[in-house]
Amino acid sequence: MALFRFRGSDKPDPSKVDEAAKSGAPVDSTGSVSPEATADEAGGAGRLFDRFRAGLKKTVQVLNTDVRDLFKQEGRLVDESFLNDLRRALVRTDMGPTAAEEIVKDVYAKQRARVVDPESVLDSIRGTLSQRLDQTDAPLAAAATGPTVILVTGVNGSGKTTSIAKLANRFVKDGKRVVLGAGDTFRAAAVEQLSMWASRIGAEIVRSDQGADPASVAHRAVARALEGDFDICIIDTAGRLQTQSNLMQELGKIRRVIAKQIPEAPHEVLLVIDATAGQNALSQAKGFSEAASCTGVVLAKLDGSARGGVVVPVTETFKLPVKFVGLGEKADDLAVFDPKRYLEALLADSFCDSPA
């Protein structure tokens, strides 16, 4: 899966593509040079599957207990009582009431008044989620020339700062020169945390004093990226709740100062959502998505403590592709989201695989 796609009609230098191909670097079907995969991704689909499986542990447990318990009563019919129980169990995975209701309707249509067939229920779950998670390959947009600017937004505590560090780490390991902009100036801890990460992974950072204008930090970060011939510029933003009236104006100002230096920037605006917050994360993040005109989602903290069904309402609510998922706390614990592997991991230990 390519990590980058190029913006506009410009194409990368063919000589560079040829050079990359000769050196063994991955080149996608459009001629875009793709960064190397992480160790887990390079190790094949198996490792990524295992990591998704570990991250979805809590959701799998719900499916293997709450849903499986519905089949313990021999000869139970698909009636209103069964459908209500199934609906409640599915909602507990955080997949949301809309997806749960669609699954229930499908089960009813296929098995109405019949004895419950676990395999058929599983097929309904798989089919519904597969359709709802269907998204085209969504690599990050890249500048045709000069630095690629990525703006990152999200609620305080969502894992935004750590996600920026993990994303930067991917680029640094691929040989890219990365500069970070510590734009969450309202939280001294956020600036210090990002500075620590920058030092650890080998990225440069532009920062300012607590309370400084975030737009000025963004301006300086982009200026540094241009002057220093950096490949990537990732800018953090304030994570205040969307109920604060000046959020939209602040994010708009940041976008304007960036665009004055690079007209087509920011090339990506990523929204970080905390998977452990479940449905609450959606309402909190919606204001940020609207204010920042986000282009994709990073689902953080999908590390076994979250109910991973939240991926489903995230894609439905924001109409945005999930581009990355955070699968742990280490710098390498960020993976390109693969809907197929996610669904396989979610249903790997299905309630049909062992007796009740």
Side-chain angles (χ1 to χ4, degrees):
M1 180 179 292
L3 187 62
F4 265 146
R5 63 178 169 83
F6 287 85
R7 274 279 179 88
S9 59
D10 293 334
K11 300 292 184 182
D13 185 342
S15 64
K16 292 183 179 180
V17 175
D18 290 341
E19 182 180 349
K22 290 177 183 177
S23 67
V27 180
D28 72 13
S29 59
T30 66
S32 303
V33 181
S34 306
E36 294 179 6
T38 63
D40 279 334
E41 290 159 356
R47 288 185 182 178
L48 184 58
F49 171 83
D50 289 341
R51 299 193 68 194
F52 271 133
R53 189 174 180 178
L56 293 168
K57 181 179 179 181
K58 194 169 185 178
T59 309
V60 172
Q61 286 176 343
V62 171
L63 290 174
N64 283 341
T65 54
D66 294 22
V67 176
R68 182 188 294 172
D69 285 347
L70 302 181
F71 309 132
K72 285 186 175 179
Q73 181 182 330
E74 186 176 352
R76 185 173 187 182
L77 298 178
V78 176
D79 54 15
E80 185 175 353
S81 174
F82 171 80
L83 295 173
N84 286 336
D85 289 343
L86 177 62
R87 183 184 294 107
R88 282 192 290 268
L90 293 173
V91 168
R92 279 195 287 272
T93 70
D94 270 340
M95 70 174 60
T98 304
E101 188 62 33
E102 187 173 332
I103 292 170
V104 167
K105 287 181 178 179
D106 192 60
V107 171
Y108 176 74
K110 293 177 179 177
Q111 301 187 61
R112 177 174 52 182
R114 300 178 185 174
V115 174
V116 175
D117 178 2
E119 283 289 353
S120 183
V121 173
L122 179 62
D123 286 342
S124 294
I125 295 174
R126 181 185 291 110
T128 299
L129 296 186
S130 179
Q131 184 177 22
R132 288 179 170 271
L133 290 173
D134 183 34
Q135 65 179 44
T136 57
D137 186 11
L140 294 176
T145 59
T148 294
V149 181
I150 301 171
L151 194 64
V152 183
T153 187
V155 181
N156 282 339
S158 64
K160 176 168 56 72
T161 304
T162 304
S163 295
I164 290 172
K166 292 175 181 178
L167 183 58
N169 182 63
R170 288 182 69 99
F171 288 122
V172 170
K173 285 197 166 186
D174 186 43
K176 307 291 186 187
R177 299 188 66 235
V178 179
V179 59
L180 305 178
D184 192 354
T185 58
F186 297 100
R187 290 194 307 141
V191 176
E192 292 303 321
Q193 183 184 10
L194 198 59
S195 298
M196 178 191 70
W197 273 112
S199 176
R200 183 182 302 175
I201 65 179
E204 190 168 314
I205 188 166
V206 172
R207 52 180 291 176
S208 192
D209 296 330
Q210 184 176 2
D213 182 6
S216 70
V217 176
H219 183 277
R220 288 169 46 217
V222 174
R224 177 60 187 143
L226 288 166
E227 295 165 1
D229 196 26
F230 282 82
D231 301 297
I232 308 292
C233 177
I234 307 177
I235 301 172
D236 192 7
T237 60
R240 293 170 297 172
L241 290 177
Q242 78 275 15
T243 49
Q244 297 191 19
S245 61
N246 65 344
L247 173 66
M248 186 172 292
Q249 289 84 352
E250 180 180 294
L251 291 173
K253 183 179 179 182
I254 291 173
R255 293 182 67 103
R256 288 193 297 274
V257 301
I258 293 173
K260 282 183 179 179
Q261 299 177 86
I262 304 176
E264 60 274 15
H267 303 91
E268 286 278 2
V269 183
L270 300 180
L271 173 65
V272 179
I273 296 178
D274 179 1
T276 65
Q279 294 290 313
N280 291 333
L282 305 186
S283 58
Q284 291 178 348
K286 193 168 185 180
F288 283 88
S289 176
E290 294 170 350
S293 300
C294 294
T295 57
V297 171
V298 178
L299 192 62
K301 307 181 187 179
L302 193 65
D303 54 7
S305 59
R307 290 180 178 174
V310 73
V311 174
V312 179
V314 162
T315 59
E316 293 175 346
T317 300
F318 299 104
K319 309 300 181 186
L320 295 171
V322 176
K323 300 205 173 191
F324 296 96
V325 288
L327 298 171
E329 297 183 355
K330 298 179 182 178
D332 291 330
D333 290 338
L334 186 74
V336 174
F337 180 64
D338 183 333
K340 182 179 179 181
R341 299 297 175 201
Y342 165 85
L343 195 55
E344 288 176 355
L346 182 66
L347 301 176
D349 296 319
S350 77
F351 42 81
C352 300
D353 293 337
S354 58

